[in-house]
Amino acid sequence: MNKKNNIDIEFILVEPSHSGNIGACARAIKNMGFEKLAIVKPRKTITEEAFHRAKSAKDILENAVIYESFDQAIEEKNLILATSARERTIPWPTFYIDEISEEIKGELKSEKTKSAIIFGREDNGLSNEELQKCHIHLVIPTSDEYSSLNLSHALQLVAFEIRKIYLDNNVPISEEKDLVSNLENEKLLEHLMEVLKKIDFYDPKSSKQVKTRIERLIKKIRLDKMEMGILRGFLSKIMDFEK
Ligand code: SAH
């Protein structure tokens, strides 16, 4: 089967420290019919070893996008999936990689969706702050005794599951929603926090988790452009009212 995927997904590695792993990730991406590799602040340059491990996926390595920061990598994206081997303090919407909801599968197939799948550092994964900037967490159900996979092995398994979604004609493409970008969501969060402070509902010193919970709410409801316009307008009115 020689089939390329139309799914426009960027596979993003955050601060990888082994050049060989980067090469192996490039190979996994190409094997599964995808094209886009991106790296946030690589800790090693892309060396000979990376090209050696990439084999016939050298083009993927050569075309890899390098981002200066995590925020820059996800700014334009509107469906951001983070992979993690560990449970975190504030639970986020989480799926096993082979149990992604039908809604998300349909959105992944849509040309309107700008999606990213994020992979963490080999030594300590993704930070809580980074994970909280993502819509959904994906877990590969590994052994409790030793849950952490090699970076490129994790990417290989995730890419295979996404390929299956693409090849499955029973998953309808879902294009109803014009989802907002992460940058717009970040601006909404700041606007909302500003209003909540102004009306004395929120004090950053005493209620640290409130902001995280509101961030989770925003990620969960996944606003479209029209809904975002209404909400931002509504918040601006409250700010004017309080003056
Ligand atoms: N020691 C790190 C794991 C790093 S493994 C930690 O404890 O967080 C490097 C990356 O591979 C992870 O950040 C994640 O993106 C991916 N990964 C490894 N094992 C995984 C698993 N079981 N489920 C989902 N992603 C996994």
Side-chain angles (χ1 to χ4, degrees), residues 99-171:
E99 291 176 358
I100 300 173
S101 75
E102 293 300 307
E103 186 193 351
I104 297 297
K105 286 183 183 175
E107 281 175 19
L108 278 170
K109 288 175 104 166
S110 161
E111 282 180 11
K112 275 188 174 177
T113 309
K114 288 187 168 180
S115 49
I117 306 195
I118 309 195
F119 296 84
R121 301 157 187 84
E122 290 95 335
D123 44 4
N124 52 9
L126 294 167
S127 69
N128 284 338
E129 202 195 326
E130 287 162 346
L131 282 163
Q132 284 159 9
K133 289 183 176 178
C134 302
H135 293 106
I136 287 163
H137 295 172
L138 297 180
V139 177
I140 302 162
T142 40
S143 156
D144 289 341
E145 258 172 62
Y146 188 24
S147 66
S148 167
L149 287 155
N150 166 273
L151 174 60
S152 68
H153 296 182
L155 189 145
Q156 178 75 78
L157 290 170
V158 173
F160 177 52
E161 291 300 329
I162 307 292
R163 176 161 174 81
K164 286 201 287 191
I165 295 170
Y166 167 72
L167 294 174
D168 184 353
N169 291 329
N170 292 323
V171 175

Coordinates of all heavy atoms in Angstrom, one line a residue, residues 99-171:
E99 N -8.1 5.1 21.2 CA -9.5 5.3 21.6 C -9.8 6.8 21.5 O -10.6 7.3 22.3 CB -9.7 4.9 23.0 CG -9.6 3.4 23.2 CD -9.7 2.9 24.6 OE1 -9.8 3.7 25.5 OE2 -9.7 1.7 24.8
I100 N -9.2 7.5 20.5 CA -9.6 8.9 20.3 C -11.0 9.0 19.9 O -11.5 8.2 19.1 CB -8.6 9.5 19.2 CG1 -7.2 9.4 19.6 CG2 -9.0 11.0 18.9 CD1 -6.2 9.8 18.6
S101 N -11.7 10.1 20.4 CA -13.2 10.2 20.1 C -13.4 10.4 18.6 O -12.6 10.9 17.9 CB -13.8 11.3 20.9 OG -13.4 12.6 20.3
E102 N -14.6 10.0 18.2 CA -15.0 10.1 16.8 C -14.9 11.6 16.3 O -14.5 11.9 15.2 CB -16.4 9.6 16.5 CG -16.5 8.0 16.8 CD -15.6 7.2 15.8 OE1 -15.7 7.5 14.6 OE2 -14.8 6.4 16.3
E103 N -15.3 12.5 17.2 CA -15.3 13.9 16.9 C -13.9 14.4 16.5 O -13.6 15.0 15.5 CB -15.8 14.7 18.1 CG -16.0 16.2 17.8 CD -16.2 17.0 19.1 OE1 -16.4 16.4 20.2 OE2 -16.2 18.2 19.0
I104 N -12.9 14.0 17.4 CA -11.5 14.4 17.1 C -11.0 13.7 15.9 O -10.3 14.3 15.1 CB -10.6 14.0 18.4 CG1 -11.1 14.8 19.6 CG2 -9.2 14.3 18.1 CD1 -11.0 16.3 19.5
K105 N -11.3 12.5 15.7 CA -10.9 11.8 14.5 C -11.3 12.5 13.2 O -10.6 12.7 12.3 CB -11.5 10.3 14.4 CG -10.8 9.4 15.4 CD -11.4 8.0 15.2 CE -10.9 7.0 16.2 NZ -11.6 5.7 16.1
G106 N -12.6 12.9 13.2 CA -13.2 13.6 12.1 C -12.5 14.9 11.9 O -12.3 15.4 10.7
E107 N -12.2 15.6 13.0 CA -11.5 16.9 12.9 C -10.1 16.8 12.3 O -9.6 17.6 11.6 CB -11.5 17.7 14.2 CG -12.9 18.3 14.4 CD -13.0 19.0 15.8 OE1 -11.9 19.2 16.4 OE2 -14.1 19.2 16.2
L108 N -9.4 15.7 12.8 CA -8.1 15.4 12.3 C -8.0 15.3 10.8 O -7.1 15.7 10.1 CB -7.5 14.2 12.9 CG -6.9 14.3 14.3 CD1 -6.6 12.9 14.9 CD2 -5.6 15.1 14.4
K109 N -9.1 14.8 10.2 CA -9.2 14.5 8.8 C -9.6 15.8 8.0 O -9.4 15.8 6.8 CB -10.2 13.4 8.5 CG -9.7 12.0 8.9 CD -10.7 11.0 8.7 CE -10.5 10.2 7.4 NZ -11.3 8.9 7.4
S110 N -10.0 16.8 8.7 CA -10.5 18.0 8.0 C -9.3 18.9 7.6 O -8.4 19.1 8.3 CB -11.4 18.8 8.9 OG -11.6 20.1 8.5
E111 N -9.5 19.5 6.4 CA -8.4 20.4 5.9 C -8.4 21.7 6.7 O -7.5 22.5 6.6 CB -8.6 20.7 4.4 CG -8.1 19.5 3.6 CD -8.3 19.7 2.1 OE1 -8.6 20.9 1.7 OE2 -8.1 18.7 1.3
K112 N -9.6 22.0 7.4 CA -9.7 23.2 8.1 C -8.8 23.1 9.4 O -8.5 24.1 10.0 CB -11.1 23.4 8.6 CG -12.0 24.1 7.6 CD -13.3 24.4 8.2 CE -14.2 25.2 7.3 NZ -15.5 25.5 7.9
T113 N -8.5 21.9 9.8 CA -7.8 21.7 11.1 C -6.3 21.8 10.9 O -5.7 21.2 10.1 CB -8.2 20.3 11.7 OG1 -9.6 20.2 11.7 CG2 -7.7 20.2 13.1
K114 N -5.7 22.6 11.8 CA -4.3 22.7 11.9 C -3.8 22.0 13.1 O -3.9 22.6 14.2 CB -3.8 24.2 11.9 CG -4.1 24.9 10.6 CD -3.5 26.3 10.7 CE -3.4 26.9 9.3 NZ -2.8 28.3 9.4
S115 N -3.4 20.7 12.9 CA -3.2 20.0 14.2 C -1.7 19.8 14.4 O -0.9 19.8 13.5 CB -3.9 18.6 14.1 OG -3.6 18.0 12.8
A116 N -1.4 19.5 15.7 CA 0.0 19.2 16.1 C -0.1 18.1 17.1 O -1.0 18.0 17.9 CB 0.6 20.5 16.8
I117 N 0.9 17.2 17.1 CA 1.0 16.2 18.1 C 2.4 16.4 18.7 O 3.4 16.5 18.0 CB 0.9 14.8 17.5 CG1 -0.4 14.7 16.7 CG2 1.0 13.7 18.6 CD1 -0.8 13.3 16.4
I118 N 2.4 16.6 20.0 CA 3.6 17.0 20.7 C 4.2 15.9 21.5 O 3.5 15.2 22.3 CB 3.3 18.2 21.6 CG1 2.5 19.2 20.7 CG2 4.5 18.8 22.2 CD1 2.4 20.6 21.2
F119 N 5.5 15.8 21.4 CA 6.3 14.8 22.2 C 7.4 15.5 23.1 O 8.0 16.5 22.6 CB 7.0 13.9 21.2 CG 6.0 13.1 20.3 CD1 5.5 13.7 19.2 CD2 5.6 11.8 20.7 CE1 4.5 13.0 18.5 CE2 4.7 11.1 20.0 CZ 4.1 11.7 18.9
G120 N 7.5 15.0 24.3 CA 8.4 15.7 25.2 C 9.8 15.2 25.2 O 10.3 14.4 24.4
R121 N 10.6 15.8 26.1 CA 12.0 15.6 26.2 C 12.3 14.2 26.7 O 11.5 13.6 27.5 CB 12.6 16.5 27.3 CG 12.4 18.0 27.0 CD 12.4 18.9 28.3 NE 12.1 20.3 27.9 CZ 10.8 20.7 27.9 NH1 9.8 19.9 28.1 NH2 10.5 21.9 27.6
E122 N 13.4 13.6 26.2 CA 13.7 12.2 26.6 C 13.9 12.1 28.1 O 13.6 11.1 28.7 CB 15.0 11.7 25.9 CG 14.9 11.5 24.4 CD 15.4 12.8 23.6 OE1 15.3 13.9 24.2 OE2 15.8 12.6 22.5
D123 N 14.5 13.1 28.7 CA 14.8 13.0 30.2 C 13.6 13.3 31.1 O 13.3 12.6 32.0 CB 16.0 13.8 30.6 CG 16.0 15.2 30.0 OD1 15.0 15.5 29.3 OD2 17.0 15.9 30.2
N124 N 12.8 14.4 30.7 CA 11.7 14.6 31.6 C 10.4 15.0 31.0 O 9.6 15.8 31.6 CB 12.1 15.6 32.8 CG 12.7 16.8 32.2 OD1 12.7 17.1 31.0 ND2 13.2 17.7 33.1
G125 N 10.1 14.6 29.8 CA 8.8 14.7 29.1 C 8.4 16.2 28.9 O 9.3 17.0 28.6
L126 N 7.1 16.5 29.0 CA 6.6 17.8 28.9 C 6.3 18.4 30.2 O 5.9 17.6 31.1 CB 5.3 17.8 28.0 CG 5.5 17.4 26.6 CD1 4.1 17.1 25.9 CD2 6.2 18.5 25.7
S127 N 6.5 19.7 30.4 CA 6.1 20.3 31.7 C 4.6 20.4 31.9 O 3.9 20.3 30.9 CB 6.8 21.7 31.8 OG 6.1 22.6 30.9
N128 N 4.2 20.6 33.1 CA 2.7 20.7 33.3 C 2.2 21.9 32.6 O 1.1 21.9 32.0 CB 2.4 21.0 34.8 CG 2.5 19.7 35.6 OD1 2.4 18.6 35.0 ND2 2.8 19.8 36.9
E129 N 3.0 23.0 32.6 CA 2.6 24.2 31.9 C 2.4 23.9 30.4 O 1.4 24.4 29.8 CB 3.6 25.3 32.1 CG 3.1 26.7 31.9 CD 4.2 27.7 31.7 OE1 5.2 27.6 32.3 OE2 4.0 28.7 30.9
E130 N 3.3 23.2 29.8 CA 3.2 22.9 28.4 C 2.0 22.0 28.1 O 1.2 22.2 27.2 CB 4.5 22.2 27.9 CG 5.6 23.1 27.7 CD 7.0 22.4 27.7 OE1 7.1 21.2 28.0 OE2 8.0 23.1 27.3
L131 N 1.8 21.0 29.0 CA 0.7 20.1 28.8 C -0.7 20.8 28.9 O -1.6 20.5 28.2 CB 0.7 19.0 29.9 CG 1.7 17.8 29.6 CD1 2.0 17.1 30.9 CD2 1.2 16.9 28.5
Q132 N -0.7 21.8 29.8 CA -2.0 22.5 30.0 C -2.3 23.5 28.8 O -3.4 24.0 28.7 CB -1.9 23.3 31.3 CG -2.1 22.4 32.5 CD -1.6 23.0 33.8 OE1 -1.2 24.2 33.8 NE2 -1.5 22.2 34.8
K133 N -1.3 23.6 27.9 CA -1.6 24.5 26.7 C -2.2 23.6 25.6 O -2.5 24.1 24.5 CB -0.3 25.1 26.2 CG 0.1 26.2 27.2 CD 1.3 27.0 26.8 CE 1.5 28.1 27.8 NZ 2.7 28.9 27.5
C134 N -2.3 22.3 25.8 CA -2.8 21.4 24.8 C -4.3 21.0 25.0 O -4.8 21.1 26.1 CB -2.0 20.2 24.8 SG -0.2 20.6 24.5
H135 N -5.0 20.6 24.0 CA -6.4 20.3 24.1 C -6.6 18.9 24.7 O -7.5 18.8 25.6 CB -7.1 20.3 22.7 CG -7.2 21.7 22.1 ND1 -6.4 22.0 21.1 CD2 -7.9 22.7 22.4 CE1 -6.7 23.3 20.8 NE2 -7.6 23.7 21.6
I136 N -5.8 18.0 24.3 CA -6.1 16.6 24.7 C -4.7 15.9 24.9 O -3.7 16.2 24.3 CB -6.8 15.9 23.5 CG1 -8.2 16.4 23.5 CG2 -6.7 14.4 23.6 CD1 -8.9 16.1 22.2
H137 N -4.7 15.0 25.9 CA -3.5 14.3 26.2 C -3.7 12.8 25.7 O -4.8 12.2 25.8 CB -3.2 14.2 27.7 CG -2.9 15.6 28.2 ND1 -2.8 15.8 29.6 CD2 -2.7 16.8 27.6 CE1 -2.5 17.1 29.8 NE2 -2.4 17.7 28.6
L138 N -2.7 12.3 25.1 CA -2.7 11.0 24.5 C -1.7 10.1 25.3 O -0.6 10.5 25.5 CB -2.3 10.9 23.1 CG -3.2 11.7 22.1 CD1 -2.6 11.6 20.7 CD2 -4.6 11.2 22.1
V139 N -2.2 8.9 25.7 CA -1.4 8.0 26.5 C -1.3 6.7 25.7 O -2.3 6.2 25.2 CB -2.0 7.8 27.9 CG1 -1.2 6.8 28.7 CG2 -2.1 9.1 28.7
I140 N -0.1 6.1 25.7 CA 0.1 4.8 25.1 C 0.1 3.9 26.4 O 0.9 4.1 27.3 CB 1.4 4.7 24.4 CG1 1.4 5.7 23.2 CG2 1.6 3.3 23.8 CD1 2.8 6.0 22.7
P141 N -0.8 2.9 26.4 CA -1.0 2.2 27.7 C 0.2 1.2 27.9 O 0.0 0.0 27.6 CB -2.3 1.5 27.5 CG -2.6 1.5 26.1 CD -1.9 2.6 25.4
T142 N 1.3 1.7 28.3 CA 2.4 0.8 28.6 C 2.4 0.2 30.0 O 1.5 0.5 30.8 CB 3.7 1.7 28.5 OG1 3.4 2.9 29.1 CG2 4.1 1.9 27.0
S143 N 3.4 -0.6 30.3 CA 3.4 -1.2 31.7 C 3.6 -0.2 32.8 O 4.3 0.8 32.6 CB 4.6 -2.2 31.7 OG 5.0 -2.4 33.0
D144 N 2.9 -0.4 33.9 CA 3.0 0.5 35.1 C 4.4 0.4 35.6 O 4.9 1.4 36.1 CB 2.1 0.1 36.2 CG 0.6 0.4 35.8 OD1 0.4 1.2 34.9 OD2 -0.3 -0.2 36.5
E145 N 5.1 -0.7 35.5 CA 6.4 -0.9 36.0 C 7.4 0.0 35.2 O 8.4 0.5 35.8 CB 6.9 -2.3 35.8 CG 6.8 -3.2 37.0 CD 7.1 -4.6 36.7 OE1 8.2 -4.9 36.2 OE2 6.2 -5.4 36.9
Y146 N 7.2 0.2 33.9 CA 8.2 1.0 33.1 C 7.4 1.6 32.0 O 7.2 0.9 30.9 CB 9.3 0.0 32.6 CG 10.4 0.8 31.9 CD1 10.7 2.1 32.2 CD2 11.2 0.1 31.0 CE1 11.7 2.8 31.5 CE2 12.3 0.7 30.4 CZ 12.5 2.1 30.6 OH 13.6 2.7 30.0
S147 N 6.8 2.7 32.2 CA 5.8 3.3 31.3 C 6.4 4.1 30.1 O 5.7 4.4 29.1 CB 4.8 4.1 32.1 OG 5.4 5.2 32.6
S148 N 7.6 4.6 30.3 CA 8.2 5.6 29.4 C 8.9 4.9 28.2 O 9.8 4.2 28.3 CB 9.2 6.4 30.2 OG 9.9 7.2 29.4
L149 N 8.3 5.2 27.0 CA 8.9 4.6 25.8 C 10.0 5.5 25.2 O 10.0 6.7 25.6 CB 7.8 4.6 24.7 CG 6.7 3.6 24.8 CD1 5.4 4.0 24.1 CD2 7.2 2.2 24.2
N150 N 10.8 5.0 24.4 CA 11.8 5.8 23.6 C 11.0 6.8 22.8 O 9.9 6.4 22.2 CB 12.6 4.9 22.8 CG 13.4 5.6 21.7 OD1 12.9 5.9 20.6 ND2 14.6 6.0 22.0
L151 N 11.5 8.0 22.7 CA 10.8 9.0 21.9 C 10.3 8.6 20.5 O 9.1 8.8 20.2 CB 11.7 10.2 21.8 CG 11.3 11.4 21.0 CD1 10.0 12.0 21.5 CD2 12.4 12.5 21.0
S152 N 11.2 8.0 19.8 CA 10.8 7.7 18.4 C 9.8 6.5 18.4 O 9.0 6.4 17.5 CB 12.0 7.4 17.5 OG 12.6 6.2 18.0
H153 N 9.9 5.6 19.4 CA 8.9 4.5 19.4 C 7.6 5.0 19.7 O 6.6 4.6 19.2 CB 9.4 3.5 20.5 CG 10.7 2.8 20.2 ND1 11.2 1.8 21.0 CD2 11.5 3.0 19.2 CE1 12.4 1.4 20.5 NE2 12.6 2.1 19.4
A154 N 7.5 6.0 20.7 CA 6.2 6.6 21.0 C 5.6 7.3 19.8 O 4.5 7.1 19.4 CB 6.4 7.6 22.1
L155 N 6.5 8.0 19.0 CA 6.0 8.7 17.8 C 5.5 7.7 16.8 O 4.5 7.9 16.1 CB 7.1 9.6 17.3 CG 6.6 10.5 16.1 CD1 7.4 11.9 16.2 CD2 6.8 9.9 14.8
Q156 N 6.2 6.6 16.7 CA 5.9 5.6 15.7 C 4.5 5.0 16.0 O 3.6 4.9 15.1 CB 6.9 4.4 15.8 CG 6.6 3.3 14.8 CD 6.9 3.6 13.4 OE1 8.1 3.6 13.0 NE2 5.9 3.9 12.6
L157 N 4.2 4.7 17.2 CA 2.9 4.2 17.6 C 1.8 5.2 17.4 O 0.7 4.8 16.9 CB 2.9 3.7 19.1 CG 3.8 2.5 19.4 CD1 3.9 2.3 20.9 CD2 3.2 1.2 18.7
V158 N 2.0 6.4 17.8 CA 1.0 7.5 17.6 C 0.7 7.7 16.1 O -0.4 7.7 15.7 CB 1.4 8.8 18.3 CG1 0.4 9.9 18.0 CG2 1.5 8.6 19.8
A159 N 1.8 7.8 15.3 CA 1.6 8.0 13.9 C 0.9 6.9 13.2 O 0.0 7.1 12.3 CB 3.0 8.2 13.2
F160 N 1.1 5.7 13.7 CA 0.4 4.5 13.1 C -1.1 4.6 13.4 O -2.0 4.4 12.5 CB 0.9 3.2 13.7 CG 0.2 2.0 13.2 CD1 0.0 1.7 11.9 CD2 -0.2 1.0 14.2 CE1 -0.7 0.6 11.5 CE2 -0.9 -0.1 13.8 CZ -1.1 -0.3 12.4
E161 N -1.5 5.0 14.6 CA -2.9 5.1 15.0 C -3.5 6.3 14.2 O -4.7 6.1 13.7 CB -3.1 5.4 16.5 CG -2.7 4.3 17.4 CD -3.5 3.0 17.1 OE1 -4.7 3.1 16.7 OE2 -3.0 1.9 17.3
I162 N -2.8 7.3 13.9 CA -3.4 8.4 13.2 C -3.5 8.0 11.7 O -4.5 8.3 11.0 CB -2.5 9.7 13.3 CG1 -2.3 10.1 14.7 CG2 -3.2 10.9 12.5 CD1 -3.4 10.6 15.5
R163 N -2.6 7.2 11.2 CA -2.7 6.7 9.9 C -4.0 5.8 9.7 O -4.7 5.9 8.7 CB -1.5 5.9 9.5 CG -1.6 5.3 8.1 CD -0.2 4.9 7.6 NE -0.2 4.1 6.4 CZ -0.3 4.7 5.2 NH1 -0.5 6.0 5.1 NH2 -0.3 4.0 4.1
K164 N -4.2 5.0 10.7 CA -5.4 4.2 10.7 C -6.7 5.0 10.6 O -7.6 4.6 9.9 CB -5.5 3.2 11.9 CG -4.5 2.1 11.8 CD -4.8 0.9 12.7 CE -4.6 1.2 14.1 NZ -4.6 0.1 15.0
I165 N -6.7 6.1 11.3 CA -7.9 7.0 11.2 C -8.0 7.5 9.8 O -9.1 7.5 9.2 CB -7.7 8.2 12.2 CG1 -7.7 7.7 13.6 CG2 -8.8 9.2 12.0 CD1 -7.3 8.8 14.6
Y166 N -6.9 7.9 9.2 CA -7.0 8.4 7.8 C -7.5 7.3 6.9 O -8.3 7.6 6.0 CB -5.6 8.9 7.4 CG -5.5 9.1 5.9 CD1 -6.1 10.2 5.3 CD2 -4.8 8.2 5.1 CE1 -6.1 10.4 3.9 CE2 -4.8 8.4 3.7 CZ -5.4 9.5 3.2 OH -5.4 9.7 1.8
L167 N -7.0 6.1 7.0 CA -7.4 5.0 6.1 C -8.8 4.5 6.3 O -9.4 3.8 5.5 CB -6.4 3.9 6.2 CG -5.0 4.1 5.8 CD1 -4.1 3.0 6.1 CD2 -4.9 4.5 4.3
D168 N -9.4 4.8 7.5 CA -10.7 4.3 7.8 C -11.8 5.2 7.2 O -12.1 6.3 7.7 CB -10.9 4.3 9.4 CG -12.2 3.7 9.8 OD1 -13.0 3.4 9.0 OD2 -12.3 3.5 11.1
N169 N -12.4 4.6 6.2 CA -13.5 5.4 5.5 C -14.7 5.6 6.3 O -15.6 6.4 5.9 CB -13.8 4.7 4.1 CG -12.7 4.9 3.2 OD1 -11.9 5.9 3.2 ND2 -12.5 3.9 2.3
N170 N -14.9 4.8 7.4 CA -16.0 5.0 8.2 C -16.0 6.2 9.1 O -16.9 6.6 9.8 CB -16.2 3.8 9.1 CG -16.6 2.5 8.3 OD1 -17.3 2.6 7.4 ND2 -16.0 1.4 8.7
V171 N -14.8 6.8 9.2 CA -14.7 8.1 10.0 C -14.9 9.3 9.0 O -14.2 9.6 8.1 CB -13.2 8.2 10.6 CG1 -13.1 9.6 11.3 CG2 -12.9 7.1 11.5

